[in-house]
Amino acid sequence: MLRDALFLASHYLRSSPGRSLVLVLGSTAAAFLPLFTFLAADLVEDTLLRRAQASPVLIGAKGNEFDLSMSSLYFRGQVAEPVPVRELDRLGTRNGTLAIPLYVAHSIGGTPLVGTSVEYFSARSLRPAQGRLPALLGEVVAGAEVAHRLRLEIGEHVRSDLANLYNLAGGYPVLLEVVGILERSSTPDDDAYFADVKTTWVLDGLFHGHQAVTREQTLNPDAGEGENMEATAALFLFADLDESNRSSYHMHGSTGDAPLSSILVLPESQKDHDILLGDYALEQNLQAIEPETVVRTVLGIVLRARDALSAFFVVVALSTLCFFVLVISLTLRLRRREIDLMQRIGSGRFAIATIVGTEIVLVLLASALLSSGLTWAGLALIRSQLA
C-alpha cells in the first residue's frame, strides 16, 4: 500500500512542477531562516570565544579595548598607541607568567604580517607543515590558508607592502624569505604571515643596514679617534635583506623604546592572573584586558539581535504554514473529480489520505534536504571567513 502511494504521489508532484516548486521553496524558507540564523550565531560565538579564552590577558596602551582585542587576536586593524618593549622585559621578570610580543602593523600583499616570538607558536599549538619557523632577520612563515591561496613554496620571496609613502626614514617594501608553511589550525593564524618582531621593526626603519660610514659621508670629517661620525643623507641604506648584509642590521637608540601592538600574557595560575590584572589596574598609560570579557560584550549585542529576530521567524513560519494549508486545500478541491474517480474504482478514504499525506511528506523531505544543504553551505562560508 505504501509503495503504491509513493508511486502515485511522486508522479502527481512531477505532473505539477510549478505547484510542487512553490511548496518546496516556501517550506525551505520557513525552515532555513531560523535554522541558519541560530546555528550561525552559535558558530560565531563558539569560534570567537575559543580564541579569546586561549588568550587570558592582553597588555596594551590605554585606549579602545575592542581595537586591542581585534588587532591582537584576529589581526584586524591597528592599535592607536604602541606599548614599548621595555614593558615586555618587565613582564619577563615576573614569576608565573609567559609574555609574548605581538606587533601587527604591516602586511604582505594585503595579508597581515605579525611580528612575534617563537613562544607564540607553541602557545597557539602551531607547527610547520613544511620548512621551519623563522630564526633569522628577514624570514617569515606563512599560514596554511595564505600559502594555499598564493601557492607559496619554501624558499620563495615575498615583498612587504608600502606602509607609509611619506615616511622617508622607513616603511619601504622589503623582500622577505618564506622559510616555513604552518599546519592548518582553522583560526585567524591560517591567513597571516609571521616573523620575528625585529623583522617588523626593519619595515618601520628602526632596524636598518647601511654601507660603512666614511669620512667623505659625514658632517664632521675632522672627528678624532673614538668620536662618533655623523652620517650625511648620501649614506646608502640597504633595500633588501640577504646573507651578505643581514649581520650589519642594527638599531640606533634604546631597544626598550621599540614599539609593540600588545603583549599576550599567559599566567600559570588563577592567582597569577588576578595579581596581574590588579597591578595593571593602577597603571596610568597601560591597560590589562581580558579578551573573553571584551568578546562576550560584543557578542551580547549580536545575540540580542538574534533574539529579536525570533519573533519575526515565528511569524514567517506561521505564514508559511497557513500558505501551505491553503495550497493543499485548494489542490484537493481542484482534484475533486480525481478523488471521486478513485473512490469509484474502490479506493477508500484511508488510501486517498495516504496518497495525499505521502505527497506532503515528499514536499517536506525535499524542503528539509534543501534547507540543510543551504545551511551547511552558509556555515562553511562563515567558517572560512572566521578562520
Side-chain angles (χ1 to χ4, degrees):
M1 177 64 182
L2 184 59
R3 183 178 179 181
D4 295 334
L6 182 61
F7 175 81
L8 292 173
S10 61
H11 276 70
Y12 177 77
L13 291 174
R14 280 186 289 177
S15 68
S16 306
R19 166 187 169 275
S20 302
L21 182 62
V22 169
L23 288 175
V24 169
L25 293 180
S27 303
T28 298
F32 167 72
L33 289 175
L35 179 64
F36 174 74
T37 300
F38 288 110
L39 289 180
D42 289 342
L43 174 62
V44 171
E45 181 180 14
D46 179 67
T47 302
L48 295 181
L49 282 179
R50 193 184 316 122
R51 180 78 168 178
Q53 289 166 348
S55 311
V57 179
L58 284 175
I59 306 296
K62 277 195 179 297
N64 191 306
E65 295 182 353
F66 177 75
D67 288 345
L68 180 59
S69 297
M70 291 299 294
S71 172
S72 303
L73 302 187
Y74 311 105
F75 316 135
R76 297 291 186 267
Q78 297 183 16
V79 295
E81 295 292 335
V83 56
V85 171
R86 69 171 64 90
E87 193 61 30
L88 176 69
D89 299 333
R90 186 161 76 98
L91 283 166
T93 63
R94 297 177 66 108
N95 294 324
T97 59
L98 173 63
I100 302 173
L102 291 171
Y103 190 39
V104 187
H106 298 280
S107 61
I108 300 174
T111 299
L113 171 62
V114 182
T116 186
S117 63
V118 292
E119 288 80 11
Y120 181 85
F121 301 101
S122 57
R124 296 293 194 205
S125 300
L126 298 173
R127 292 178 296 274
Q130 302 177 42
R132 58 175 175 80
L133 297 178
L136 301 174
L137 207 62
E139 294 182 342
V140 299
V141 291
E145 180 59 30
V146 65
H148 173 74
R149 184 172 67 249
L150 300 179
R151 299 180 181 178
L152 293 175
E153 295 183 358
I154 303 301
E156 285 191 35
H157 288 80
V158 292
R159 191 172 291 277
S160 63
D161 297 330
L162 182 63
N164 189 342
L165 180 62
Y166 305 104
N167 182 8
L168 301 179
Y172 52 86
V174 176
L175 203 62
L176 305 171
E177 182 183 2
V178 178
V179 298
I181 297 174
L182 298 175
E183 294 179 349
R184 186 172 294 277
S185 62
S186 298
T187 68
D189 298 321
D190 288 342
D191 200 13
Y193 291 95
F194 296 89
D196 183 80
V197 69
K198 291 182 180 179
T199 298
T200 55
W201 291 340
V202 170
L203 306 185
D204 282 335
L206 298 178
F207 257 77
H208 61 270
H210 51 73
Q211 64 185 143
V213 179
T214 64
R215 292 188 178 276
E216 290 76 14
Q217 298 168 323
T218 62
L219 298 176
N220 54 339
D222 298 328
E225 188 70 26
E227 293 184 44
N228 290 327
M229 292 187 292
E230 186 177 352
T232 68
L235 190 67
F236 176 75
L237 294 176
F238 297 138
D240 289 319
L241 268 165
D242 54 41
E243 293 296 335
S244 64
N245 60 30
R246 179 178 284 122
S247 60
S248 68
Y249 272 71
H250 58 280
M251 180 178 181
H252 297 293
S254 172
T255 306
D257 295 325
L260 296 173
S261 298
S262 62
I263 302 171
L264 172 63
V265 184
L266 306 178
E268 292 182 357
S269 66
Q270 186 62 42
K271 178 181 177 180
D272 296 323
H273 176 277
D274 296 339
I275 292 175
L276 181 68
L277 292 180
D279 289 345
Y280 275 88
L282 304 175
E283 292 285 341
Q284 296 295 320
N285 301 316
L286 299 173
Q287 63 178 342
I289 68 169
E290 296 176 286
E292 182 179 358
T293 302
V294 176
V295 172
R296 285 190 183 278
T297 301
V298 176
L299 287 175
I301 300 173
V302 177
L303 296 181
R304 280 201 298 271
R306 181 192 66 177
D307 296 338
L309 287 173
S310 299
F312 170 74
F313 292 142
V314 170
V315 173
V316 171
L318 291 176
S319 301
T320 304
L321 178 62
C322 293
F323 171 76
F324 196 91
V325 172
L326 177 61
V327 172
I328 295 297
S329 62
L330 290 176
T331 301
L332 291 177
R333 289 189 180 184
L334 293 174
R335 298 172 65 186
R336 185 72 259 172
R337 293 178 60 185
E338 177 188 339
I339 294 174
D340 289 341
L341 178 60
M342 293 174 64
Q343 290 177 335
R344 290 173 186 172
I345 61 177
S347 296
R349 290 180 177 273
F350 178 76
I352 295 173
T354 301
I355 295 172
V356 175
T358 304
E359 294 174 10
I360 296 174
V361 170
L362 289 176
V363 169
L364 295 178
L365 181 60
S367 300
L369 292 174
L370 183 57
S371 61
S372 298
L374 290 173
T375 301
W376 178 85
L379 294 178
L381 179 61
I382 291 177
R383 287 192 187 95
S384 67
Q385 295 300 315
L386 291 176

